[in-house]
Amino acid sequence: MSAKTHNLAMTPVFPGSTDADGQRATLGVLGGGQLGRMLVHAAQRLGYFTAVLDPDAQSPAGLVSHHHIQTAYDDPTGLAELAHLCQAITTEFENVPAQALQTLALTRPVAPGAVVVGIAQDRIEEKAHFTAGADLSGVACAPYAVIETPAQLQAVRADRADLLPGILKTARMGYDGKGQVRVKTGDELAAAWAELGSVACVLEKMLPLAAECSVLVARGWDGQAVSYAPQRNVHVDGILAVTHAYEGNMPPALATRARNAAVSLAQHLGYVGVLCVEFFVVDDGSGQGSLVVNEMAPRPHNSGHYTLDACDVSQFDLQVHAMAGLPLPSPRQHSPAIMLNLLGEVWFDGNGQRREPDWQAVLSLPGTHLHLYGKAEARIGRKMGHLTITGPDVEVVRTTARRAAELLGLPGLDGL
Ligand code: ATP
Ligand code: MG
């Protein structure tokens, strides 16, 4: 199957409308996590009814949606009910079975489509697209090799010393640095592959990163695309910790290049919806750094949460517009912003005792916007919420972000 989808003629689903059977305009989402919750909020604000399919009775999006279909993602009855209730459907969960999207697409417009979600779910396919087909304005991905068999492992050990030290990543189901092992030698590589269950993997060369950034693009059924300027991201232990979103967050020439590359990728894929493309800025000794494409997420992204508070149109608004066939407004950022991710750690003190974060102090800081996802149980590494700080200028935003990070006991935020 080709990655290009032939855009269906999409009849817009207008908010607040009622069809001939008296059914209210309803948008559906496969997956009930925090991304689904923020999408539901955006859809409801516009006047849509919403339906969420997620097996968890307490899912963040299910809790706030008009309809919550509580079945497995591949349950035919659940999928039929979702299709029955909704005039357009999206996904918020990267590892949703692509087959479920295909089933839904038989009767409803589904954005993004099963083919492109399938590509993004598999690092091997994704990298093949980055290197071969896609016009990424000359931006390459990190040097890598595919390891799916013992013979490939041996071949890499024999011929690809250039990839060490490297990171072995499972081709499928990785997120937040899970399914990744850092390796320095051929022996470590063999041990890591065994540790990962000898599943299909890619070995990527470890690059000297000067920075990381991501670009959000939204593309409509008609091929029109809009985008945000790149945001700079800081990861701690493989999980996004901080997003810097303001002018001057990275060298302007690299920012333009990353943005162009992301838009070309969305066009090349015939993508419909919000796409996030992650890039590395590699320290190449030039002082400027060079760009490498890391991966893409076929959905709104954690690094784009600042758009809720710092832009006139958020990434979730754009996802709603794109999936429903509404016009795509070009987003405008009105305030510089820093986003701090709030992982479960924030709910524990240094001795591992449960505590409530000091919201009184945090929320008394000017320009703080708290978003909690409605998850009952705080666990280490679990994304519980985020705090966006906006302000009149970057220095004020930085100072407030530092203070908020101190109050919350956020680790590893030296770069603020
Ligand atoms: P996500 O939560 O973004 O889906 P993921 O688990 O899919 O993450 P990656 O984005 O591939 O994983 O990697 C996580 C982080 O590990 C990157 O953001 C980067 O900090 C680091 N990293 C990954 N690959 C490399 C590399 N080749 N060289 C240096 N650092 C890397
Ligand atoms: Mg990543």
Side-chain angles (χ1 to χ4, degrees):
M1 212 173 342
S2 144
K4 276 205 172 25
T5 54
H6 294 285
N7 293 341
L8 307 166
M10 169 75 188
T11 312
V13 182
F14 291 113
S17 58
T18 305
D19 70 13
D21 303 328
Q23 193 167 315
R24 310 291 297 268
T26 305
L27 301 183
V29 54
L30 261 182
Q34 61 266 19
L35 298 169
R37 178 182 175 99
M38 291 181 265
L39 178 92
V40 161
H41 286 151
Q44 292 180 345
R45 200 178 60 160
L46 259 170
Y48 290 106
F49 276 49
T50 59
V52 167
L53 189 151
D54 190 293
D56 179 1
Q58 296 299 317
S59 76
L63 287 174
V64 299
S65 181
H66 295 93
H67 305 278
H68 179 188
I69 301 162
Q70 216 184 302
T71 65
Y73 300 116
D74 54 2
D75 182 283
T77 318
L79 292 172
E81 193 181 345
L82 188 68
H84 171 72
L85 283 171
C86 302
Q87 284 77 54
I89 297 168
T90 187
T91 167
E92 60 102 47
F93 169 51
E94 206 169 323
N95 290 321
V96 73
Q99 183 60 47
L101 296 175
Q102 237 153 27
T103 304
L104 292 166
L106 294 175
T107 53
R108 292 293 183 215
V110 176
V115 173
V116 73
V117 171
I119 294 169
Q121 282 173 344
D122 187 322
R123 286 187 198 275
I124 298 172
E125 281 198 47
E126 182 179 58
K127 284 183 191 299
H129 272 269
F130 289 161
T131 42
D135 169 18
L136 277 158
S137 313
V139 179
C141 59
Y144 74 100
V146 172
I147 299 178
E148 294 178 292
T149 63
Q152 281 171 324
L153 173 72
Q154 289 319 322
V156 169
R157 288 190 65 165
D159 306 324
R160 298 299 308 268
D162 64 303
L163 296 179
L164 296 172
I167 308 185
L168 186 67
K169 303 180 177 181
T170 58
R172 302 182 67 83
M173 301 302 267
Y175 68 99
D176 290 346
K178 294 187 176 67
Q180 300 196 4
V181 185
R182 297 183 175 214
V183 292
K184 290 199 199 70
T185 63
D187 286 345
E188 283 182 17
L189 172 63
W193 194 53
E195 188 190 317
L196 292 173
S198 305
V199 295
C201 284
V202 296
L203 174 66
E204 237 178 81
K205 184 180 176 63
M206 176 78 83
L207 299 172
L209 304 190
E212 296 185 58
C213 72
S214 53
V215 176
L216 292 156
V217 184
R219 184 176 176 278
W221 295 95
D222 60 358
Q224 188 215 345
V226 298
S227 60
Y228 296 88
Q231 50 274 353
R232 181 163 60 82
N233 302 320
V234 179
H235 293 79
V236 175
D237 297 333
I239 306 184
L240 182 65
V242 185
T243 293
H244 296 259
Y246 41 80
E247 226 176 295
N249 63 352
M250 56 186 289
L254 288 181
T256 305
R257 228 170 143 219
R259 195 167 176 173
N260 290 342
V263 173
S264 332
L265 180 62
Q267 293 293 6
H268 166 82
L269 292 168
Y271 192 87
V272 179
V274 171
L275 175 73
C276 181
V277 188
E278 296 181 15
F279 297 89
F280 297 144
V281 178
V282 176
D283 187 357
D284 60 356
S286 73
Q288 269 291 297
S290 54
L291 269 188
V292 162
V293 60
N294 174 28
E295 58 175 356
M296 60 180 174
R299 49 174 172 74
H301 193 257
N302 195 166
S303 64
H305 290 352
Y306 76 92
T307 61
L308 286 163
D309 300 301
C311 299
D312 61 348
V313 179
S314 78
Q315 61 170 345
F316 301 102
D317 295 330
L318 288 179
Q319 181 78 323
V320 169
H321 278 241
M323 71 187 285
L326 303 183
L328 283 183
S330 200
R332 183 179 62 82
Q333 185 169 354
H334 51 69
S335 303
I338 291 178
M339 185 220 59
L340 305 176
N341 241 1
L342 305 177
L343 304 182
E345 283 85 323
V346 172
W347 279 258
F348 293 92
D349 68 15
N351 302 317
Q353 293 300 311
R354 185 86 168 67
R355 63 151 189 217
E356 259 331 282
D358 187 354
W359 298 130
Q360 175 67 29
V362 170
L363 295 175
S364 69
L365 299 172
T368 50
H369 310 272
L370 178 63
H371 299 254
L372 295 182
Y373 306 145
K375 298 180 184 177
E377 193 198 341
R379 290 197 296 268
I380 300 302
R382 189 176 199 199
K383 289 178 179 169
M384 301 296 292
H386 68 271
L387 183 77
T388 301
I389 297 105
T390 57
D393 62 57
V394 179
E395 268 326 298
V396 170
V397 170
R398 273 181 181 283
T399 307
T400 309
R402 268 196 295 269
R403 182 71 192 122
E406 265 166 35
L407 286 167
L408 292 165
L410 296 176
L413 302 177
D414 315 335
L416 275 178

